[in-house]
Amino acid sequence: MSKNPTTIPRRQLGRQLRELRQAVGLSLADAARLIERGAGTLQRLEKGENPRIRQLDIDALCKLYGVPEERTQQMKALALQADRRSRPSDESHWWTRYEDLIPAEFETYMSLEMAAERMITYQPDTVPGIVQTADYARALNRVFFSSDTTMELEQRVQVRMQRQTAITRRLSPLEVDLLIDEAALRRVAGSRRIMAAQLRRLADTPPNVKVRIVPFSSGFPLGGHVGPFVILDFPADSATQAPVEPPTVYVESYGSRIYYDSEPDVSRYRDAYTRIGRIALNEADTKHVLRCAAKEYDA
């Protein structure tokens, strides 16, 4: 498993360095030669894959590209942030404490999720992890990770609960818009008691988390089966006013995790979300359905 997954600051820094190099018409090999570094080192830096970033390299590249002093200092500050966030001791990268349990490609997703300002997601058969109760998550993990020890299962639940701090943090909590198929309400995870508590949790989310149910009666809004997907949008950089990361779609299936950030792919999933949303219940009706279903499980 990779010990140094790509992080948002590293990717942002790499993108800016690549754009600066291309703006002055230098090839990657020429730029690397002029700062007396290997082409592979510079390529990894531009791709956001270097686990350690030297301030001397950033300074040399900025001088080579003719970057003004103020911008150079901004780049060096970003380099410090990127290097700091690659270290397991940094709480902004808390999940490295559980790296033996988390696939490397999902570490990338968690880094993106923590940096996002808005998440929209569609889930056809389970409650999304960002709003799961500990008992619901534990019930699912006990089946999916059937060979785990009790301690490992509890650590997985801790990871899930820690991720949810994104929606409760004091500064800029994550805005979440969830579409959940009615099947997720009817498919029992663990027990009726667990389901009742989970559905009440969905009915009582904070204002920054909007939940809408897609009822069975709505049929097939896209004409066929649609798997789960997440779209993440990111805040703008204060200097450039451009998003710190391009909008990203995350699609997870039983054996794979796929990311899309090209404009056509993101637009396709946004369109799917819009079309599904048109036939979903509104928030008020959704809360009513959730509370009624919770009472049924309590009966």
Side-chain angles (χ1 to χ4, degrees):
M1 180 183 297
S2 171
K3 303 287 185 182
N4 296 295
T6 298
T7 64
I8 299 298
R10 273 192 259 159
R11 290 172 60 179
Q12 183 184 359
L13 176 67
R15 183 178 294 110
Q16 292 184 35
L17 289 173
R18 182 172 63 253
E19 291 172 352
L20 287 168
R21 175 178 59 77
Q22 293 172 343
V24 298
L26 281 173
S27 70
L28 190 144
D30 286 341
R33 176 176 53 80
L34 290 168
I35 67 166
E36 299 182 346
R37 298 288 280 169
T41 297
L42 183 54
Q43 183 178 50
R44 288 191 296 274
L45 185 59
E46 290 188 357
K47 292 174 69 177
E49 295 176 349
N50 254 11
R52 292 291 181 264
I53 301 171
R54 302 196 322 169
Q55 290 283 299
L56 287 175
D57 289 343
I58 304 303
D59 201 43
L61 288 168
C62 286
K63 287 179 180 178
L64 179 62
Y65 302 152
V67 178
E69 179 62 23
E70 182 178 356
R71 176 79 185 280
T72 297
Q73 293 306 314
Q74 292 174 352
M75 298 281 284
K76 292 171 75 173
L78 182 59
L80 279 174
Q81 182 187 11
D83 187 50
R84 183 165 58 248
R85 290 185 66 160
S86 74
R87 299 172 187 168
S89 60
D90 193 316
E91 285 303 306
S92 67
H93 220 163
W94 55 264
W95 52 85
T96 55
R97 299 197 300 269
Y98 306 99
E99 61 186 8
D100 291 338
L101 298 175
I102 303 172
E105 61 271 25
F106 193 64
E107 291 184 34
T108 300
Y109 173 78
M110 289 195 293
S111 182
L112 291 168
E113 186 179 81
M114 290 298 289
E117 68 175 2
R118 183 167 185 255
M119 166 200 289
I120 62 177
T121 183
Y122 169 67
Q123 272 286 352
D125 50 17
T126 59
V127 173
I130 198 73
V131 288
Q132 288 178 4
T133 65
D135 284 341
Y136 185 95
R138 188 176 294 110
L140 294 180
N141 287 342
R142 189 174 292 119
V143 177
F144 194 85
F145 301 103
S146 58
S147 62
D148 274 9
T149 65
T150 299
M151 179 178 293
E152 287 171 335
L153 287 172
E154 287 306 306
Q155 287 177 332
R156 292 188 190 278
V157 173
Q158 291 172 25
V159 170
R160 186 65 52 84
M161 297 302 103
Q162 183 70 32
R163 281 176 55 200
Q164 294 180 8
T165 60
I167 63 176
T168 58
R169 61 196 178 204
R170 186 172 62 85
L171 296 176
S172 303
L174 181 66
E175 297 286 334
V176 182
D177 194 348
L178 307 177
L179 290 177
I180 305 175
D181 197 276
E182 186 178 350
L185 280 59
R186 308 302 177 186
R187 194 179 297 276
V188 176
S191 70
R192 296 177 67 86
R193 177 188 61 80
I194 289 172
M195 289 301 300
Q198 176 63 78
L199 298 188
R200 284 194 292 270
R201 165 79 182 276
L202 279 176
D204 296 322
T205 54
N208 55 304
V209 180
K210 299 178 180 178
V211 181
R212 290 178 291 159
I213 297 299
V214 182
F216 288 141
S217 60
S218 63
F220 295 90
L222 299 182
H225 173 72
V226 182
F229 61 87
V230 177
I231 306 174
L232 297 171
D233 291 304
F234 300 89
D237 179 82
S238 58
T240 65
Q241 298 306 307
V244 297
E245 285 290 313
T248 301
V249 175
Y250 173 70
V251 180
E252 182 176 349
S253 63
Y254 187 73
S256 65
R257 296 176 175 87
I258 303 173
Y259 298 88
Y260 301 101
D261 61 9
S262 70
E263 195 279 329
D265 285 329
V266 174
S267 293
R268 179 163 56 93
Y269 277 94
R270 286 198 197 279
D271 177 66
Y273 193 84
T274 298
R275 291 168 64 184
I276 297 170
R278 289 194 190 114
I279 50 85
L281 301 178
N282 60 36
E283 289 182 74
D285 289 343
T286 289
K287 290 180 184 297
H288 177 72
V289 167
L290 288 168
R291 289 179 178 133
C292 287
K295 289 180 180 178
E296 291 176 13
Y297 280 118
D298 278 331

